[in-house]
Every structure is written in C-alpha cells, then in structure tokens.
Amino acid sequence: MKKHYSILFFFFVFGFFKGQSQIIIDHTCTKIADIPQQWIETAKSTLLISYQHTSHGSQLVSGIDALAEAYPADFSFEKSGYGFQQGIFLNDYGIPEADDLGHTGDLAWRDATLNLIANPDFDRNVIIWSWCGGCSDNTEEGINAYLNAMNTLETDNPNIKFVYMTGHLDGSGTEGTLNQMNTLIRNYCISNHKILFDFADIESYDPDAAVNYMELLALDNTQYDNSGSGNPWAGEYWTVNWLTNNQTSALAVETPLCLECAHSDDNTESKMNCILKGRAFWYLLARIAGWDGVAASEVIVANSKVQIVPNPNKGIFKLNLTNYSKKNTVLKIYNSCGQLIDSKNVNLSENLNEIRVDMSAQKKGIYFFTTDDAKEPQSGKIIVE
C-alpha cells in the first residue's frame, strides 16, 4: 500500500519534543547511553508502575534486572511481584485477577484494572499490560475491543499513563495474523497519540537495524528463516550472529548477566532479546517521566519559521527556510526516540532557500528536523502517515 504523508508544523521553545504526548518505543529505542541519567533518576523517583504479564511479558523485566546487575549505580531499582503493593517503583505482576491481555475480545484484564484502581490504597500512575499469544489468534474485532477499552480507561483516569503493546513474534511473517493485528495496534497508537511499547518491532531487528527479521519469519526466540525454506525453526539465531560479530560491545557484556529470558533461553546469545527489551523499557519510562527523547549527546535548539510543502505522491517534503546568513546548512532528522537517522550538508541558493527531504523509505510515525547555520536555527515536525 502506498504511504500517505501529511505535515504538522509548530514552534519549539525549549526543545522539539516538549508537550508531545505520543511515545512510540520500538527497535530504534535501545541505546541506553542516549538517555540522560537525570531522566532515569526522575523515572525512578516519580513513577509507580503496575505491570501485568505472563511469560513473554517477563522478558523486559529480565532485561532490566540484567541491566541493574551490569550498571547498579545507574539502573538499580525497587520492585515487588505478585499482587498490588504500595510505594514500589515496579509492582511486577501487580494487577491481580487476570494474567495478560487474553484472546479475541476478552476484557478480564480491563475489569482487573478497574478493581485495582478502586482499591482505596491505589497509588499507581503507570499501568502496563502485555500480550502472550493473544495477538496471533486474534481478530480485528478483538483488537478493537482492546483498543477501545484502553482508550476508555485513559479517558476515565487522566492521571494514569496506560501503555499499549504489540504481541510477540510467532514466525508467521508479514502476511500472518500476528503482523496484521500488530499493525492495527500501531496505526491506532500513531493516529491517536498513544504510548506504545512495540514488543514485536523490538525483537524484529538487531542493533544495526539493517534487516527486518519479522519479514524472514522470525520467532520469539530470535530464530529466523535464513535459508528461504519457509521453516524458521531450522534457521539461525540473529542474536548469535550479531554477538559473534560484536564481541566487544556493551550488549556482549550485558547479555550473559540475563539469568532467564523466557522463550529465548535456547542459548546465552538469544537472551539479548531480553536485554534489548529492558533497554527499551528504560527509554519508555524516561519518556513517560518527561524526557523529550533528545539523545544526551545531541543539542537541539529553538526555531524560527519554516514553511513546509508536502508531495504525497513521491514522499518528498520541501522545507522553505528563512533568515539564513550562509549558503550552506546541515539538516538533521530524528526519529520519535530522538535518535539521529539522517544528517546531510545542504547548499542553498541565494534565491531559493529550499531543502528537499525524502521520507518515502521511512515507516509511519513522527520525525523531527533541525537545521544549522541560520540567524535563527530552525526546526519542525514531519508526520509520515
């Protein structure tokens, strides 16, 4: 299906994510070094999380446990499990009366959430539910029941952040039911400015993000169809391949510290699946706590006016810039996690201060740009629909 594009421009004063409620956490959000430490500390001091899941959802908890072991000064945290408990940063298994998001329209999780909120001792400000296999056998009606129930919970409880999730990989690939249901969830979250932890997307890419292993029938244990046989169960593990080629990376240090990674315990290397989710979980919590998503190493400046002209047929955006004192500028484009995805030098003519931005290869989502070398440095927002 051909992508459609629209543009939304607004002014930035203290950074280009301020006030943006939508948070999409995917495979681009696993570089924990990008998170300013102040926002890790803010998350730990201000968030009270209830997280309910079964075995697949435990992967991200295993990941943050390993990170706490690797970097105790930065990523240690307090947690409790099995049942509601006050005053705890992470109340793991913290919503009694239901296990996970269930199957095909089951709303036991919603009723359990309402009962938790009605508890007179309730103090949570973040609630997260995980799927197990419920997306793999779901229907559009079932997914819509989940989305509508989540939206109602948000509307009725504006002081609580509710985190949406996609389901784990199951080897069915692009055309499988799982990907279709996950796509419904992603599209809804993007269109309605929700908070999404894209579980499936995180386990679809290695840290180099050169290959989408979901399209190669990847499983939740990181096996994929590397031979074209159509049988991922006989395939290689992309985690093994990546760690073999990156033995001096931080991930090579963190992965052996993961004591258990449910559904990914085939070998030590496959436990990197949990580490990546743990890293992305800290991204999520830092963003919820108020981090604007701008990497610690990047400095984003305020803007002046930029006129933007879209070209939906070719995915080309034209940025007409003003107030430039030089003919050369640097255009930087960031994804929704504040990571730099493109940077290029641009030569501007004296009569036409126009930069053409090709976004046709990018997936749906929110992107941001900044330019340098202006009398008033400029920035803006691009929405790929």
Side-chain angles (χ1 to χ4, degrees), residues 237-276:
Y237 295 81
W238 62 257
T239 45
V240 173
N241 294 337
W242 192 88
L243 285 171
T244 298
N245 294 323
N246 295 273
Q247 296 181 26
T248 61
S249 69
L251 282 164
V253 174
E254 297 159 11
T255 297
L257 298 175
C258 190
L259 300 180
E260 180 181 6
C261 186
H263 305 282
S264 293
D265 280 339
D266 304 80
N267 46 60
T268 297
E269 291 84 356
S270 66
K271 294 181 181 181
M272 190 173 79
N273 191 15
C274 282
I275 300 296
L276 292 173

Side-chain angles (χ1 to χ4, degrees), residues 7 16 23 30 43 80 83 88 108 111 152-153 165 177 180 216 223 246 256 305 318 332 338 373:
I7 293 292
F16 70 124
I23 301 172
T30 61
S80 65
I88 297 295
D111 297 338
T152 299
L153 286 170
M165 272 202 186
T177 298
Q180 295 177 37
L216 300 177
Q223 277 182 291
N246 295 273
K305 296 181 180 180
K318 299 178 181 179
K332 295 183 178 180
D373 296 333

Side-chain angles (χ1 to χ4, degrees), residues 82-150:
Y82 297 102
F84 170 65
Q85 184 170 334
Q86 278 186 303
I88 297 295
F89 170 67
L90 176 60
N91 198 177
D92 195 21
Y93 298 102
I95 311 177
E97 302 177 25
D99 294 324
D100 54 37
L101 289 170
H103 301 261
T104 57
D106 176 18
L107 294 178
W109 65 271
R110 178 202 61 188
D111 297 338
T113 302
L114 290 172
N115 289 337
L116 176 68
I117 294 172
N119 186 324
D121 294 325
F122 178 75
D123 64 350
R124 306 287 93 185
N125 53 23
V126 179
I127 291 180
I128 309 172
W129 282 90
S130 173
W131 297 95
C132 189
C135 279
S136 294
D137 61 0
N138 222 307
T139 63
E140 183 173 352
E141 292 74 19
I143 294 298
N144 284 333
Y146 158 66
L147 297 173
N148 290 334
M150 282 285 282

Side-chain angles (χ1 to χ4, degrees), residues 25-91:
I25 303 298
D26 58 17
H27 73 277
T28 67
C29 304
T30 61
K31 295 181 179 179
I32 53 175
D34 286 349
I35 310 173
Q37 186 59 32
Q38 70 182 84
W39 290 111
I40 298 294
E41 299 306 321
T42 300
K44 288 191 285 188
S45 64
T46 62
L47 301 185
L48 296 167
I49 306 151
S50 279
Y51 180 38
Q52 189 65 20
H53 58 87
T54 43
S55 57
H56 282 94
S58 71
Q59 290 180 350
L60 62 86
V61 180
S62 296
I64 59 175
D65 283 342
L67 292 173
E69 179 72 16
Y71 317 108
D74 296 330
F75 291 101
S76 60
F77 64 96
E78 185 181 19
K79 75 172 181 179
S80 65
Y82 297 102
F84 170 65
Q85 184 170 334
Q86 278 186 303
I88 297 295
F89 170 67
L90 176 60
N91 198 177

